[in-house]
């Protein structure tokens, strides 16, 4: 069939309209040009910087004024990114738009990367004020950085300079470790002076200090502008503007999570990126001093956001520069961090991670308590299986272990009052320290839980000597390869090994005992409990366990 010119023109018009409709449906909030970026990665875009306002809360926010300040800069678009639009509603200036991040059942899923057309993006905290030329200098510093690991450039907001910290994110161990980053000579005094002002109790003094920056911000932002800055892993103690390439921001799994500085620092550390903290700064808006209630509400909201972020990122422990620890995982009043273990392989091991540190802490506490109780009541006992292997290899739990195994003489069970009560009644017993002793449902052995809520536990295996053989045996076997009978001579007399911070009873020849159960070289050649499901080499490569 022959196509007439009119038919060809009509077909072309229909195709063009369909293409325009597709582009309009893909554009959330803003009106980006029609393009086809790789999923999870932003296109290179056009030269320039887009400002995103993300960290703001409550009706006392300063979003409108902050947006006006940065939108007044030539060619700088501003996006107010939020799950819901700011409330009360705010009048945004020309060049500013709300970027909705919450999925809606009647709209396409949010694609914030499509709303940013520029090659660089600046994440700006609420209350910051623009300084002409400073965003450009931050961009130039990023592109001129000789260290390829520098992917983020930061500038303080207000007169307080943030603390520059080193940061190591150990994904396998669920742990973030902070340290004191090395500072350049003329910055050390500022850092030392800010150290004591970073405590939560000083929030009123933070407010008074920030008021001065409104009058002196431009001068403060320029007079040290030639200084190359400090390389950091994380920033704490003061708000900052963070600038990075758009493609880098949207390559992150949580590009706009809050708190923004914490989120970017942790995700950057996981990739080996570093932050360059410039000596220049942005002024902050003068505000009336917050009421005690407002301070409490802000602190509560900040803590809640931080907990949610660390949960998303899988961080259960933060080790601070002074060695103190912040725990974010399970405790006495919460369930443990993982479900029922199948095939001797907990779910986190299949994800390439080891036992969460909060779970290891609970296991150590439970083990120390149980060992002390058995010792105090004269129950002959010893570390068994993987627990003994960890004690001999590391003096501690194996980092991927999920329980503790202890053997004991069956005839000594009545000597321990908690075991005696469980054995006679069959009912779980909670001791005065909140540990729960019970008869295991899987067989003839006992189990001591960290608490009623948290079922991390120590298994107690009653052994007895088979008459006339000198061989130790038991009544329940769970089919583990290392679960075998052994000569009683390993227990007469008992020895000790370091374990979880104490000296624990152990077979008198631990190496021979372990090689009988696990095979030759078990101590020097670590392996996961069920190599058929996952092998240690998958997570360690050519490394050896430390």
């Amino acid at each position: 069939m022959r196509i007439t010119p009119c038919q060809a023109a009509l077909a072309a018009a229909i195709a063009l309209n369909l293409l325009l409709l597709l582009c309009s449906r893909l554009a959330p909030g803003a009106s980006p040009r029609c393009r086809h970026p790789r999923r999870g990665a932003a296109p290179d875009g056009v030269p320039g910087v887009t400002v995103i306002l993300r960290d703001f809360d409550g009706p006392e926010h300063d979003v409108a004024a902050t947006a006006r300040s940065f939108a007044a800069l030539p060619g700088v678009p501003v996006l107010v990114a939020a799950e819901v639009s700011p409330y009360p509603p705010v009048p945004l200036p020309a060049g500013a738009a709300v970027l909705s991040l919450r999925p809606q059942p009647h709209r396409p899923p949010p694609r914030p990367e499509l709303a940013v057309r520029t090659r660089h993006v600046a994440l700006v905290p609420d209350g910051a004020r623009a300084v002409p030329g400073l965003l450009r200098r931050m961009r130039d510093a990023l592109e001129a950085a000789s260290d390829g690991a520098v992917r983020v450039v930061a500038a303080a907001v207000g007169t307080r300079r943030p603390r520059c910290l080193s940061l190591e994110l150990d994904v396998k161990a669920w742990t973030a470790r902070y340290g004191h980053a090395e500072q350049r000579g003329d910055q050390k005094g500022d850092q030392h002076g800010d150290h004591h002002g970073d405590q939560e109790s000083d929030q009123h003094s933070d407010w008074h200090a920030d008021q001065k920056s409104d009058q002196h911000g431009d001068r403060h932002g320029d007079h040290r502008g030639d200084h190359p800055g400090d390389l950091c892993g994380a920033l704490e103690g003061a708000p900052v503007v963070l600038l990075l390439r758009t493609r880098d921001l949207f390559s992150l799994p949580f590009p706009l999570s809050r708190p923004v500085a914490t989120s970017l620092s942790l995700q950057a550390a996981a990739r080996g990126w570093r932050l360059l903290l410039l000596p220049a700064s942005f002024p902050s808006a003068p505000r009336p001093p917050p009421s005690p209630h407002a301070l409490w509400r802000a602190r509560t909201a900040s803590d809640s956001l931080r907990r949610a972020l660390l949960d998303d990122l899988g961080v259960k422990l933060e080790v601070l520069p002074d060695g103190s620890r912040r725990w974010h995982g399970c405790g006495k009043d919460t369930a443990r961090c993982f479900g029922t273990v199948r095939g001797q392989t907990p779910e986190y091991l299949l994800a390439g991670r080891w036992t969460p540190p909060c779970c290891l802490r609970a296991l150590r506490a439970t083990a120390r308590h149980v060992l002390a109780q058995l010792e105090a009541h004269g129950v002959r006992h010893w570390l068994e299986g993987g627990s003994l292997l960890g004690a001999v290899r590391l003096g501690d739990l194996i980092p991927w272990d999920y329980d503790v195994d202890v053997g004991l003489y069956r005839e000594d069970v009545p000597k321990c009052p908690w075991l005696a009560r469980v054995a006679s009644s069959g009912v779980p017993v909670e001791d005065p320290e909140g540990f729960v002793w019970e008869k295991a449902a899987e067989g003839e052995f006992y189990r001591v839980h960290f608490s009623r809520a948290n079922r991390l536990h120590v298994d107690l295996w009653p052994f007895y000597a088979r008459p006339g053989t000198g061989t130790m045996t038991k009544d329940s076997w769970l089919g583990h390869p290392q679960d075998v009978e052994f000569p009683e001579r390993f227990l007469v007399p008992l020895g000790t090994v370091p374990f979880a911070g104490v000296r624990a009873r152990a077979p008198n020849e631990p190496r021979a005992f372990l090689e009988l159960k696990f095979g030759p070289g078990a101590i020097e050649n670590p392996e996961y409990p069920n190599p058929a499901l996952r092998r240690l080499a998958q997570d360690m490569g050519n490394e050896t366990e430390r």
Side-chain angles (χ1 to χ4, degrees):
M1 184 180 73
R2 190 172 179 178
I3 299 176
T4 67
C6 289
Q7 290 174 322
L10 179 61
I14 292 173
L16 179 61
N17 276 282
L18 289 174
L19 181 61
L20 292 174
L21 177 62
L22 177 63
C23 289
S24 67
R25 293 295 299 271
L26 288 176
S31 300
R33 60 180 178 174
C34 185
R35 56 194 183 275
H36 303 279
R38 300 185 307 275
R39 182 68 180 174
D44 283 341
V46 299
V49 179
T50 296
V51 165
I52 296 181
L53 308 184
R54 182 70 178 110
D55 268 332
F56 56 89
D57 273 306
E60 296 86 8
H61 62 71
D62 190 50
V63 169
T66 305
R68 281 196 300 272
S69 177
F70 282 88
L73 297 174
V76 176
V78 176
L79 297 174
V80 179
E83 283 69 27
V84 295
S85 297
Y87 186 84
V90 296
L92 295 178
V98 173
L99 177 61
S100 178
L101 301 178
R102 176 175 292 177
Q104 300 287 342
H106 58 291
R107 293 179 180 173
R111 295 285 302 278
E113 67 271 24
L114 297 182
V116 180
R117 301 182 58 187
T118 56
R119 293 176 186 167
H120 296 83
V121 61
L123 297 161
V124 175
D126 191 30
R129 293 295 181 263
V131 174
L134 185 48
L135 287 178
R136 183 182 66 251
R137 299 209 314 273
M138 294 176 70
R139 180 198 62 196
D140 293 345
L142 176 63
E143 297 303 332
S146 58
D147 186 344
V150 173
R151 299 293 187 94
V152 184
V153 172
V157 174
T159 57
R160 296 188 66 236
R161 185 171 173 81
R163 284 198 299 158
C164 180
L165 304 175
S166 62
L167 171 58
E168 175 198 353
L169 182 64
D170 189 340
V171 175
K172 195 186 307 294
W174 312 73
T175 299
R177 297 182 180 89
Y178 298 89
H180 295 292
E182 292 186 7
Q183 305 293 294
R184 298 180 185 273
D186 60 341
Q187 297 297 318
K188 292 181 180 177
D190 291 343
Q191 294 296 109
H192 179 73
D194 285 347
H195 175 74
H196 296 290
D198 288 341
Q199 306 305 314
E200 290 180 349
S201 61
D202 285 341
Q203 293 193 39
H204 278 289
S205 61
D206 292 353
W207 174 83
H208 289 294
D210 286 345
Q211 306 312 301
K212 299 178 182 178
S213 63
D214 196 39
Q215 291 78 24
H216 303 291
D218 289 356
R219 185 181 65 204
H220 184 57
D222 291 338
H223 84 287
R224 294 187 297 179
D226 294 333
H227 193 283
D230 296 314
L231 290 176
C232 312
L235 299 168
E236 282 194 353
V240 290
V241 171
L242 299 169
L243 183 141
L244 64 164
R245 298 178 186 93
T246 302
R247 67 172 181 268
D248 284 342
L249 175 65
F250 290 109
S251 73
L252 301 176
F254 303 97
L256 295 175
S257 289
R258 302 169 59 201
V260 169
T262 303
S263 172
L264 277 186
S265 295
L266 288 167
Q267 295 180 84
R271 289 155 179 77
W273 298 357
R274 303 185 76 183
L275 288 71
L276 177 64
L277 175 62
L278 300 183
S281 67
F282 293 85
S284 61
R287 297 189 187 186
S291 66
H293 178 71
L295 281 174
W296 170 83
R297 187 172 57 196
R299 185 182 301 121
T300 301
S302 176
D303 290 345
S304 177
L305 285 171
R306 188 181 181 91
R307 283 195 302 270
L309 171 68
L310 294 177
D311 186 59
D312 286 341
L313 297 179
V315 175
K316 306 286 188 182
L317 171 63
E318 291 181 288
V319 182
L320 305 184
D322 62 0
S324 61
R325 301 186 170 204
R326 286 197 295 237
W327 295 92
H328 305 285
C330 62
K332 274 276 192 185
D333 299 325
T334 65
R336 70 184 186 182
C337 297
F338 56 94
T340 302
V341 176
R342 309 289 185 184
Q344 294 183 268
T345 306
E347 54 192 344
Y348 55 78
L349 208 57
L350 294 177
R353 287 186 154 187
W354 292 346
T355 309
C358 48
C359 297
L360 291 174
R361 179 176 66 159
L363 283 173
R364 292 185 187 103
T366 308
R368 288 192 293 264
H369 177 73
V370 170
L371 295 175
Q373 290 292 313
L374 298 179
E375 189 72 23
H377 294 97
V379 176
R380 291 169 292 173
H381 64 279
W382 59 95
L383 292 179
E384 266 285 347
S387 300
L388 179 62
L389 190 58
V392 174
R393 188 188 293 157
L394 302 168
D396 199 359
L397 290 162
I398 293 175
W400 51 81
D401 216 347
Y402 51 87
D403 64 5
V404 174
D405 291 308
V406 175
L408 51 82
Y409 274 85
R410 187 175 66 177
E411 57 264 37
D412 288 354
V413 166
K415 294 180 181 180
C416 176
W418 314 113
L419 288 176
R421 287 173 59 182
V422 171
S424 62
S425 67
V427 177
V429 175
E430 184 176 357
D431 68 27
E433 296 186 45
F435 296 91
V436 178
W437 304 64
E438 68 177 20
K439 176 81 163 48
E442 299 91 332
E444 296 301 315
F445 63 100
Y446 301 93
R447 186 163 278 165
V448 185
H449 297 280
F450 184 48
S451 69
R452 289 192 179 276
N454 192 322
R455 309 299 277 179
L456 288 159
H457 57 264
V458 172
D459 285 334
L460 298 173
W461 299 94
F463 283 83
Y464 58 92
R466 183 182 292 125
T469 66
T471 299
M472 297 297 290
T473 189
K474 58 180 180 174
D475 291 333
S476 290
W477 304 90
L478 301 185
H480 300 162
Q482 72 274 16
D483 208 8
V484 298
E485 297 178 338
F486 59 91
E488 188 178 12
R489 63 178 174 79
F490 283 114
L491 308 179
V492 184
L494 286 166
T496 63
V497 290
F499 181 70
V502 297
R503 297 292 301 184
R505 298 288 183 178
N508 52 44
E509 296 181 52
R511 174 176 289 275
F513 185 86
L514 288 169
E515 293 194 343
L516 170 68
K517 294 209 164 196
F518 291 94
I523 297 172
E524 292 79 13
N525 301 291
E527 183 54 275
Y528 288 157
N530 189 348
L533 287 180
R534 191 173 187 89
R535 301 189 66 88
L536 179 61
Q538 293 176 252
D539 299 327
M540 301 294 287
N542 294 323
E543 299 176 38
T544 57
E545 184 189 2
R546 289 171 295 187

Short mmCIF file of all heavy atoms in Angstrom, two decimals, residues 85-120:
data_model
loop_
_atom_site.label_atom_id
_atom_site.label_comp_id
_atom_site.label_asym_id
_atom_site.label_seq_id
_atom_site.Cartn_x
_atom_site.Cartn_y
_atom_site.Cartn_z
N SER A 85 5.63 18.29 51.12
CA SER A 85 5.94 19.71 50.97
C SER A 85 6.04 20.37 52.34
O SER A 85 5.36 19.97 53.29
CB SER A 85 4.85 20.40 50.15
OG SER A 85 4.81 19.87 48.84
N PRO A 86 6.93 21.36 52.47
CA PRO A 86 7.08 22.05 53.76
C PRO A 86 5.74 22.60 54.25
O PRO A 86 4.92 23.09 53.47
CB PRO A 86 8.06 23.19 53.43
CG PRO A 86 8.79 22.73 52.22
CD PRO A 86 7.83 21.91 51.44
N TYR A 87 5.54 22.46 55.55
CA TYR A 87 4.32 22.97 56.17
C TYR A 87 4.68 23.78 57.39
O TYR A 87 5.49 23.33 58.19
CB TYR A 87 3.39 21.81 56.55
CG TYR A 87 2.05 22.29 57.06
CD1 TYR A 87 1.04 22.61 56.16
CD2 TYR A 87 1.83 22.46 58.42
CE1 TYR A 87 -0.18 23.08 56.62
CE2 TYR A 87 0.61 22.93 58.89
CZ TYR A 87 -0.40 23.24 57.98
OH TYR A 87 -1.59 23.71 58.43
N PRO A 88 4.07 24.96 57.59
CA PRO A 88 3.11 25.62 56.71
C PRO A 88 3.70 25.87 55.33
O PRO A 88 4.91 25.95 55.16
CB PRO A 88 2.82 26.92 57.44
CG PRO A 88 3.27 26.72 58.84
CD PRO A 88 4.40 25.74 58.78
N PRO A 89 2.81 26.02 54.32
CA PRO A 89 3.30 26.25 52.95
C PRO A 89 4.20 27.48 52.89
O PRO A 89 3.97 28.46 53.59
CB PRO A 89 2.00 26.46 52.15
CG PRO A 89 0.95 25.78 52.96
CD PRO A 89 1.34 25.95 54.39
N VAL A 90 5.23 27.40 52.07
CA VAL A 90 6.18 28.51 51.97
C VAL A 90 6.17 29.06 50.55
O VAL A 90 6.07 28.30 49.58
CB VAL A 90 7.60 28.05 52.35
CG1 VAL A 90 7.66 27.64 53.80
CG2 VAL A 90 8.07 26.90 51.47
N PRO A 91 6.27 30.38 50.42
CA PRO A 91 6.35 30.99 49.08
C PRO A 91 7.76 30.85 48.53
O PRO A 91 8.70 31.48 49.03
CB PRO A 91 5.98 32.45 49.33
CG PRO A 91 6.38 32.71 50.75
CD PRO A 91 6.24 31.40 51.49
N LEU A 92 7.94 30.01 47.55
CA LEU A 92 9.27 29.81 46.97
C LEU A 92 9.50 30.81 45.84
O LEU A 92 8.58 31.14 45.09
CB LEU A 92 9.40 28.38 46.44
CG LEU A 92 9.35 27.27 47.48
CD1 LEU A 92 9.44 25.91 46.82
CD2 LEU A 92 10.45 27.43 48.51
N PRO A 93 10.73 31.27 45.70
CA PRO A 93 11.03 32.25 44.65
C PRO A 93 11.09 31.60 43.28
O PRO A 93 11.10 30.37 43.15
CB PRO A 93 12.41 32.77 45.07
CG PRO A 93 13.03 31.61 45.78
CD PRO A 93 11.91 30.93 46.50
N ALA A 94 11.13 32.44 42.26
CA ALA A 94 11.33 31.92 40.90
C ALA A 94 12.67 31.18 40.86
O ALA A 94 13.65 31.60 41.45
CB ALA A 94 11.34 33.08 39.91
N GLY A 95 12.69 30.07 40.18
CA GLY A 95 13.90 29.26 40.11
C GLY A 95 14.00 28.22 41.19
O GLY A 95 14.97 27.47 41.24
N ALA A 96 13.00 28.14 42.08
CA ALA A 96 12.98 27.13 43.14
C ALA A 96 11.72 26.29 43.00
O ALA A 96 10.66 26.78 42.60
CB ALA A 96 13.03 27.79 44.51
N ALA A 97 11.83 25.00 43.31
CA ALA A 97 10.70 24.09 43.20
C ALA A 97 10.81 23.03 44.28
O ALA A 97 11.89 22.75 44.80
CB ALA A 97 10.67 23.44 41.82
N VAL A 98 9.66 22.43 44.63
CA VAL A 98 9.63 21.34 45.59
C VAL A 98 9.88 20.03 44.85
O VAL A 98 9.29 19.77 43.79
CB VAL A 98 8.28 21.28 46.32
CG1 VAL A 98 8.19 20.03 47.20
CG2 VAL A 98 8.09 22.53 47.18
N LEU A 99 10.77 19.22 45.39
CA LEU A 99 11.08 17.90 44.83
C LEU A 99 10.53 16.85 45.79
O LEU A 99 11.08 16.63 46.86
CB LEU A 99 12.59 17.74 44.65
CG LEU A 99 13.10 16.39 44.15
CD1 LEU A 99 12.54 16.09 42.76
CD2 LEU A 99 14.62 16.38 44.12
N SER A 100 9.43 16.22 45.42
CA SER A 100 8.79 15.24 46.30
C SER A 100 9.53 13.91 46.24
O SER A 100 9.82 13.39 45.16
CB SER A 100 7.33 15.04 45.88
OG SER A 100 6.71 14.06 46.68
N LEU A 101 9.82 13.36 47.41
CA LEU A 101 10.57 12.11 47.50
C LEU A 101 9.71 10.93 47.92
O LEU A 101 10.18 9.80 47.93
CB LEU A 101 11.73 12.26 48.49
CG LEU A 101 12.75 13.35 48.17
CD1 LEU A 101 13.80 13.41 49.28
CD2 LEU A 101 13.41 13.12 46.82
N ARG A 102 8.47 11.19 48.33
CA ARG A 102 7.61 10.10 48.81
C ARG A 102 6.82 9.51 47.65
O ARG A 102 6.12 10.23 46.93
CB ARG A 102 6.67 10.61 49.88
CG ARG A 102 5.67 9.53 50.36
CD ARG A 102 4.82 10.03 51.50
NE ARG A 102 5.64 10.21 52.70
CZ ARG A 102 5.16 10.69 53.85
NH1 ARG A 102 3.89 11.04 53.95
NH2 ARG A 102 5.95 10.84 54.90
N PRO A 103 6.86 8.20 47.46
CA PRO A 103 6.06 7.59 46.39
C PRO A 103 4.56 7.82 46.63
O PRO A 103 4.09 7.78 47.76
CB PRO A 103 6.41 6.10 46.48
CG PRO A 103 7.72 6.06 47.20
CD PRO A 103 7.70 7.21 48.15
N GLN A 104 3.85 8.06 45.54
CA GLN A 104 2.40 8.25 45.58
C GLN A 104 1.75 7.21 44.68
O GLN A 104 2.26 6.93 43.58
CB GLN A 104 2.03 9.65 45.12
CG GLN A 104 2.63 10.78 45.96
CD GLN A 104 1.96 10.91 47.32
OE1 GLN A 104 0.85 10.40 47.52
NE2 GLN A 104 2.63 11.58 48.25
N PRO A 105 0.64 6.63 45.13
CA PRO A 105 0.04 5.56 44.32
C PRO A 105 -0.44 6.02 42.95
O PRO A 105 -0.57 5.20 42.03
CB PRO A 105 -1.15 5.09 45.19
CG PRO A 105 -1.42 6.23 46.12
CD PRO A 105 -0.11 6.90 46.36
N HIS A 106 -0.72 7.32 42.78
CA HIS A 106 -1.26 7.81 41.52
C HIS A 106 -0.20 8.50 40.66
O HIS A 106 -0.54 9.11 39.63
CB HIS A 106 -2.41 8.80 41.78
CG HIS A 106 -2.01 9.98 42.62
ND1 HIS A 106 -1.69 9.85 43.96
CD2 HIS A 106 -1.89 11.29 42.32
CE1 HIS A 106 -1.38 11.04 44.44
NE2 HIS A 106 -1.48 11.92 43.48
N ARG A 107 1.08 8.42 41.06
CA ARG A 107 2.14 9.07 40.31
C ARG A 107 3.28 8.09 40.03
O ARG A 107 3.43 7.10 40.74
CB ARG A 107 2.68 10.28 41.07
CG ARG A 107 1.68 11.41 41.22
CD ARG A 107 2.26 12.55 42.01
NE ARG A 107 1.32 13.65 42.16
CZ ARG A 107 1.53 14.72 42.91
NH1 ARG A 107 2.66 14.83 43.59
NH2 ARG A 107 0.62 15.66 43.00
N PRO A 108 4.10 8.38 39.02
CA PRO A 108 5.29 7.54 38.80
C PRO A 108 6.22 7.62 40.01
O PRO A 108 6.19 8.58 40.78
CB PRO A 108 5.95 8.18 37.56
CG PRO A 108 4.87 8.96 36.90
CD PRO A 108 3.96 9.44 38.00
N PRO A 109 7.04 6.59 40.21
CA PRO A 109 7.96 6.62 41.36
C PRO A 109 8.91 7.80 41.27
O PRO A 109 9.31 8.20 40.17
CB PRO A 109 8.71 5.29 41.26
CG PRO A 109 8.54 4.85 39.84
CD PRO A 109 7.21 5.38 39.40
N PRO A 110 9.28 8.37 42.42
CA PRO A 110 10.20 9.53 42.40
C PRO A 110 11.53 9.17 41.74
O PRO A 110 12.11 8.12 42.01
CB PRO A 110 10.38 9.86 43.88
CG PRO A 110 9.22 9.24 44.57
CD PRO A 110 8.87 8.02 43.78
N ARG A 111 12.01 10.04 40.88
CA ARG A 111 13.32 9.89 40.26
C ARG A 111 14.05 11.23 40.43
O ARG A 111 14.15 12.03 39.49
CB ARG A 111 13.19 9.56 38.77
CG ARG A 111 12.55 8.22 38.45
CD ARG A 111 13.51 7.07 38.72
NE ARG A 111 14.73 7.21 37.95
CZ ARG A 111 14.87 6.85 36.67
NH1 ARG A 111 13.84 6.34 36.01
NH2 ARG A 111 16.04 6.99 36.07
N PRO A 112 14.55 11.53 41.64
CA PRO A 112 15.13 12.85 41.88
C PRO A 112 16.30 13.17 40.96
O PRO A 112 16.57 14.33 40.67
CB PRO A 112 15.57 12.79 43.35
CG PRO A 112 15.64 11.34 43.68
CD PRO A 112 14.60 10.68 42.84
N GLU A 113 17.01 12.15 40.49
CA GLU A 113 18.16 12.41 39.62
C GLU A 113 17.73 13.07 38.31
O GLU A 113 18.53 13.77 37.66
CB GLU A 113 18.93 11.12 39.34
CG GLU A 113 18.19 10.08 38.51
CD GLU A 113 17.37 9.13 39.35
OE1 GLU A 113 16.98 9.50 40.47
OE2 GLU A 113 17.09 8.00 38.87
N LEU A 114 16.46 12.87 37.91
CA LEU A 114 16.00 13.48 36.67
C LEU A 114 15.70 14.97 36.82
O LEU A 114 15.56 15.69 35.83
CB LEU A 114 14.74 12.76 36.18
CG LEU A 114 14.91 11.28 35.82
CD1 LEU A 114 13.60 10.71 35.30
CD2 LEU A 114 16.01 11.09 34.79
N ALA A 115 15.57 15.42 38.07
CA ALA A 115 15.26 16.83 38.31
C ALA A 115 16.51 17.70 38.36
O ALA A 115 16.41 18.92 38.43
CB ALA A 115 14.48 16.98 39.61
N VAL A 116 17.68 17.08 38.35
CA VAL A 116 18.95 17.83 38.44
C VAL A 116 19.62 17.80 37.07
O VAL A 116 20.04 16.74 36.60
CB VAL A 116 19.88 17.24 39.51
CG1 VAL A 116 21.17 18.03 39.58
CG2 VAL A 116 19.19 17.23 40.87
N ARG A 117 19.71 18.96 36.43
CA ARG A 117 20.28 19.03 35.09
C ARG A 117 21.75 19.39 35.09
O ARG A 117 22.44 19.22 34.09
CB ARG A 117 19.50 20.06 34.26
CG ARG A 117 18.02 19.75 34.12
CD ARG A 117 17.33 20.77 33.25
NE ARG A 117 17.92 20.84 31.93
CZ ARG A 117 17.61 21.75 31.01
NH1 ARG A 117 16.71 22.67 31.29
NH2 ARG A 117 18.20 21.76 29.83
N THR A 118 22.25 19.93 36.20
CA THR A 118 23.63 20.43 36.23
C THR A 118 24.62 19.33 36.58
O THR A 118 24.25 18.28 37.12
CB THR A 118 23.75 21.56 37.25
OG1 THR A 118 23.32 21.08 38.53
CG2 THR A 118 22.89 22.74 36.86
N ARG A 119 25.89 19.58 36.30
CA ARG A 119 26.93 18.58 36.56
C ARG A 119 27.29 18.48 38.04
O ARG A 119 27.86 17.49 38.47
CB ARG A 119 28.18 18.92 35.75
CG ARG A 119 27.99 18.78 34.26
CD ARG A 119 29.22 19.22 33.49
NE ARG A 119 28.97 19.22 32.05
CZ ARG A 119 29.75 19.78 31.15
NH1 ARG A 119 30.86 20.40 31.55
NH2 ARG A 119 29.45 19.74 29.87
N HIS A 120 26.97 19.53 38.79
CA HIS A 120 27.30 19.53 40.21
C HIS A 120 26.07 19.87 41.02
O HIS A 120 25.14 20.53 40.53
CB HIS A 120 28.42 20.53 40.52
CG HIS A 120 29.72 20.20 39.86
ND1 HIS A 120 29.99 20.53 38.54
CD2 HIS A 120 30.83 19.55 40.32
CE1 HIS A 120 31.21 20.09 38.22
NE2 HIS A 120 31.74 19.50 39.28
#
